[in-house]
Amino acid sequence: MKLDSAVLSQKILEMSEGDEDFKVELTSAIHSGLLELRQQYSLGKEKADLDIIQQIRHKVKPTLAMFEFDELSESLQEGKQILESEGFGVNFESHFKDFTSKLDEVIQEVSSLKDAM
């Protein structure tokens, strides 16, 4: 998965309306949210705790939509469907590996964008 950092950068620029401090803050907030998503999703899997996963999914869903992280949103939805129908089994394990791989790529892109500011 390749995040279009130009699109993300443009969205951040539009939202910050030229305010450099806010642009940096917003980018940092996106980065922090993605790191929290990785940490909480992993914790939920480790503990086989559906509530942890539901809470972080609910928390980040607006951010993912707002900044067009569509592949992450779709993957989260797939994970939700797997958990609801099968629970924490082999299919969720496979989903988890795929999701965290995509998430790590996005985190790296956002981190690069953040570092460039």
Side-chain angles (χ1 to χ4, degrees):
M1 183 181 121
K2 183 74 174 136
L3 174 68
D4 189 341
S5 55
V7 171
L8 177 59
S9 186
Q10 183 60 37
K11 286 233 174 249
I12 291 170
L13 192 63
E14 288 169 8
M15 292 186 80
S16 62
E17 298 176 340
D19 183 335
E20 284 300 314
D21 290 339
F22 183 68
K23 185 171 116 178
V24 170
E25 251 181 69
L26 182 57
T27 306
S28 290
I30 294 167
H31 187 253
S32 294
L34 293 170
L35 291 175
E36 182 182 8
L37 172 58
R38 181 173 58 189
Q39 192 263 335
Q40 291 297 306
Y41 210 76
S42 296
L43 181 64
K45 177 192 164 285
E46 180 185 315
K47 293 186 171 193
D49 189 329
L50 188 57
D51 288 339
I52 292 172
I53 291 178
Q54 287 174 330
Q55 287 171 4
I56 192 61
R57 191 174 54 228
H58 180 74
K59 182 176 180 179
V60 300
K61 194 174 179 181
T63 301
L64 297 181
M66 187 181 310
F67 293 101
E68 298 179 15
F69 296 125
D70 297 336
E71 285 190 52
L72 284 181
S73 294
E74 290 167 14
S75 187
L76 272 178
Q77 185 60 34
E78 290 167 11
K80 177 183 179 185
Q81 291 168 343
I82 291 168
L83 286 173
E84 288 175 350
S85 63
E86 305 170 32
F88 290 92
V90 176
N91 285 333
F92 184 76
E93 186 68 38
S94 176
H95 153 76
F96 180 81
K97 288 177 184 170
D98 179 62
F99 175 72
T100 53
S101 173
K102 290 175 180 174
L103 181 56
D104 286 344
E105 287 181 38
V106 171
I107 288 170
Q108 185 57 48
E109 287 291 322
V110 174
S111 183
S112 295
L113 196 60
K114 188 176 136 212
D115 293 345
M117 293 183 172

